[in-house]
Amino acid sequence: MWTFANCDLKYRLTLRISAVSVICFAVISAVVLWDIDRSVRTELDDIADISARTLQLQLNKTHWINNPPSTFPDLDSIASSVMRPGLCIAYRAGNGQMIQQFCSGARTQGTPPPLAFAVLHRTLFDPGREAAKAVLLGDRPMGAAVAWVDPSVVTAETWRELSRLLPVLAGALVLLCVLAYAALARALRPTRLIRAGLERIAANDLTARLPPFDLAELTAIRDAFNQLAENLAEAIAERNALTRRLIALQDDERRHLARELHDEFGQSLAAIRALASAAGHSAAESCPELASECDSIGRTAADMMTTLRGALFRLRPPDIDELGLAASLEGLVSGWSRRQCGRTHFAIRLSGAIDSLPDSIGLNLYRIAQEALTNAARHADAKQVLLQLTVRDANEADPAQAATTIELTIEDDGAAGDQVGKPGMGLLGIRERVASLGGRLTFETRPCGGARLHVVIPLAANSSLLLPERRPLAECAA
């Protein structure tokens, strides 16, 4: 059976049912044609048999009666009782000569049959065939009674009978298609719920569940779907929990490293700078040639301390609990602006209750912004970098905004093909942090240059670190 790409299942099944119905109706029509031809054959055989018996009786009388009148064969009495339009009866002698023949007019009623049907009917059934019965005298054949019907009359009568049947078959076909489509549409109605559930799963909505169905096959699909969604939700929840633990360990390790660098390396640099200053004073009195080298050592130590302060700031951000996320982000942006010395302009836009966010989310947002700004400054060769952070409150009237969401966007006008999205440039770490918070991340690069990093985090899902209540799709649709 043929198939059509991207064809609706209801239409496809209806077309197949229609094709099977057309074949069945064609078989019914063929059976009707065969039955009509068989009836005509039977009628001709009966007429030929009656004619043969009558002629045989006439032939016997000519031998029983002395000096009988020469009236054999006499087909008048037979013709008056059996004649019909287009019928011919005749007596054929033993030598094959037609001695007597009667034919009625070929009167047809109604519309003449189409030429194609006439040719097909004559090819398949040969309506002009004759029926012959032997006329016996004792046991000796003397001739034969022959009956046949004009082929055009048989074809016209067959078409008239078939034309009465065709409208009934066509109406039945249309009615069958309508009923089949309605039944299939009703039976396949649950597939829309299944499709909606799959779309919600694809959109990372793991709360999607299918309601019970009447059909056993759909019930099996529903059980497998719900089990898959539950397993996937549990797996993602476990992965996010593990990611949060790894990120927490990473932050603790950064704090520990920052503390070690500050306590050990920072003090060592301060001691080197102090010793270089003391050595410089001593060299100025005893060996002036070494004074410049001592000053160079002091300046190198000072540069290293400046670099160390920047590394410590990146390893251990300001205390968000004390300063707040908004002030921390503003300090981050202003720090990058100072370090770039006008080569890149950094801007920030904040809106919403940012400082009311939980500490764990605030720290992750700071790290995400820090990594994105670092990539934009070092690898994008951008002139303008904009950081936007918005906290949108829940809107009960808008189903798409049913929970408080956090949107973080970093845009730049860097050169085309910048390396922010390449592996190893920080995007993987950003994705892990966003995934651990149950959010979504999109990264776009423009052909003419520039990139946009967009992060959306649902606050409700992170407040309790639990998935919301699961509801069947039927309830959601209601």
Side-chain angles (χ1 to χ4, degrees):
M1 190 68 67
W2 64 87
T3 57
F4 301 95
N6 299 324
C7 181
D8 188 88
L9 181 59
K10 298 186 294 297
Y11 293 111
R12 181 176 296 183
L13 293 177
T14 303
L15 287 176
R16 294 189 177 187
I17 293 174
S18 302
V20 174
S21 302
V22 168
I23 294 174
C24 293
F25 291 159
V27 173
I28 293 174
S29 301
V31 171
V32 170
L33 293 176
W34 176 82
D35 184 70
I36 293 174
D37 182 74
R38 184 181 59 84
S39 299
V40 173
R41 296 293 103 203
T42 302
E43 182 182 5
L44 290 177
D45 288 339
D46 293 340
I47 293 174
D49 186 68
I50 293 173
S51 300
R53 292 176 181 274
T54 303
L55 292 175
Q56 187 172 332
L57 181 61
Q58 294 176 7
L59 186 61
N60 289 333
K61 286 182 179 181
T62 59
H63 290 78
W64 295 341
I65 302 174
N66 293 328
N67 298 321
S70 180
T71 58
F72 181 83
D74 183 9
L75 299 177
D76 290 340
S77 59
I78 303 173
S80 61
S81 59
V82 301
M83 292 306 290
R84 46 164 289 188
L87 176 65
C88 294
I89 57 176
Y91 174 73
R92 181 187 297 127
N95 58 3
Q97 180 182 1
M98 288 289 188
I99 297 179
Q100 192 176 24
Q101 175 178 327
F102 282 93
C103 290
S104 64
R107 298 188 304 273
T108 58
Q109 299 178 354
T111 305
L115 179 60
F117 175 80
V119 173
L120 179 64
H121 183 261
R122 293 180 182 181
T123 302
L124 296 178
F125 297 101
D126 189 16
R129 290 179 301 174
E130 63 180 23
K133 294 291 183 179
V135 178
L136 304 176
L137 180 59
D139 294 332
R140 184 165 55 93
M142 302 299 294
V146 183
W148 70 91
V149 180
D150 189 338
S152 61
V153 175
V154 177
T155 301
E157 291 181 353
T158 302
W159 172 251
R160 187 167 59 252
E161 294 295 329
L162 187 61
S163 61
R164 296 175 182 174
L165 179 63
L166 288 178
V168 177
L169 294 180
L173 177 61
V174 173
L175 181 61
L176 179 62
C177 293
V178 172
L179 294 178
Y181 182 84
L184 290 172
R186 181 178 180 83
L188 296 176
R189 189 178 303 169
T191 57
R192 290 182 292 180
L193 294 177
I194 297 175
R195 177 182 176 181
L198 293 174
E199 290 176 349
R200 289 176 59 183
I201 291 291
N204 295 326
D205 182 4
L206 303 182
T207 64
R209 296 294 184 270
L210 295 179
F213 298 124
D214 296 334
L215 296 178
E217 293 81 2
L218 295 180
T219 300
I221 294 176
R222 175 248 183 189
D223 295 339
F225 178 91
N226 291 346
Q227 185 64 39
L228 177 62
E230 185 174 353
N231 293 341
L232 186 59
E234 293 177 357
I236 292 180
E238 293 175 357
R239 186 200 67 180
N240 291 343
L242 179 60
T243 303
R244 286 192 295 271
R245 292 180 59 186
L246 292 175
I247 291 174
L249 290 175
Q250 184 183 39
D251 291 335
D252 291 341
E253 185 65 24
R254 286 182 174 181
R255 293 188 184 95
H256 176 73
L257 180 59
R259 185 167 54 250
E260 292 294 328
L261 289 175
H262 179 271
D263 295 343
E264 301 294 335
F265 195 60
Q267 293 180 7
S268 298
L269 287 177
I272 292 173
R273 186 178 181 184
L275 291 174
S277 178
H281 288 295
S282 300
E285 297 177 356
S286 59
C287 185
E289 293 83 3
L290 295 177
S292 60
E293 282 78 1
C294 293
D295 293 338
S296 177
I297 293 174
R299 287 193 301 270
T300 302
D303 293 339
M304 293 180 66
M305 290 184 68
T306 303
T307 304
L308 178 61
R309 290 191 192 98
L312 291 177
F313 184 81
R314 289 190 295 273
L315 287 173
R316 186 173 184 177
D319 195 345
I320 297 178
D321 292 338
E322 297 179 0
L323 300 180
L325 178 60
S328 299
L329 290 175
E330 289 174 352
L332 177 65
V333 171
S334 61
W336 271 112
S337 295
R338 288 193 304 270
R339 285 191 292 272
Q340 290 296 313
C341 301
R343 293 189 300 272
T344 303
H345 175 70
F346 291 83
I348 183 171
R349 295 177 186 172
L350 304 175
S351 62
I354 296 176
D355 288 332
S356 64
L357 296 175
D359 296 340
S360 59
I361 298 179
L363 179 58
N364 281 285
L365 288 173
Y366 183 89
R367 289 297 189 189
I368 292 172
Q370 184 183 42
E371 188 64 43
L373 291 178
T374 301
N375 289 330
R378 293 182 176 178
H379 307 294
D381 192 20
K383 302 301 181 183
Q384 299 285 337
V385 178
L386 174 63
L387 185 150
Q388 298 184 82
L389 179 61
T390 305
V391 178
R392 302 185 186 276
D393 294 331
N395 186 359
E396 297 181 356
D398 186 3
Q401 188 65 28
T404 301
T405 58
I406 306 167
E407 293 188 15
L408 175 64
T409 304
I410 296 93
E411 294 182 270
D412 65 72
D413 59 351
D418 59 87
Q419 300 178 358
V420 178
K422 293 186 178 181
M425 300 309 297
L427 188 59
L428 180 59
I430 294 176
R431 289 187 185 277
E432 291 176 351
R433 289 183 181 272
V434 174
S436 69
L437 298 175
R440 303 187 306 275
L441 180 146
T442 56
F443 177 77
E444 301 173 350
T445 58
R446 305 180 183 93
C448 58
R452 182 176 184 270
L453 180 72
H454 185 64
V455 175
V456 179
I457 299 173
L459 183 59
N462 292 281
S463 298
S464 60
L465 298 179
L466 294 175
L467 290 174
E469 181 183 359
R470 297 165 181 167
R471 295 180 298 163
L473 290 180
E475 298 180 7
C476 295

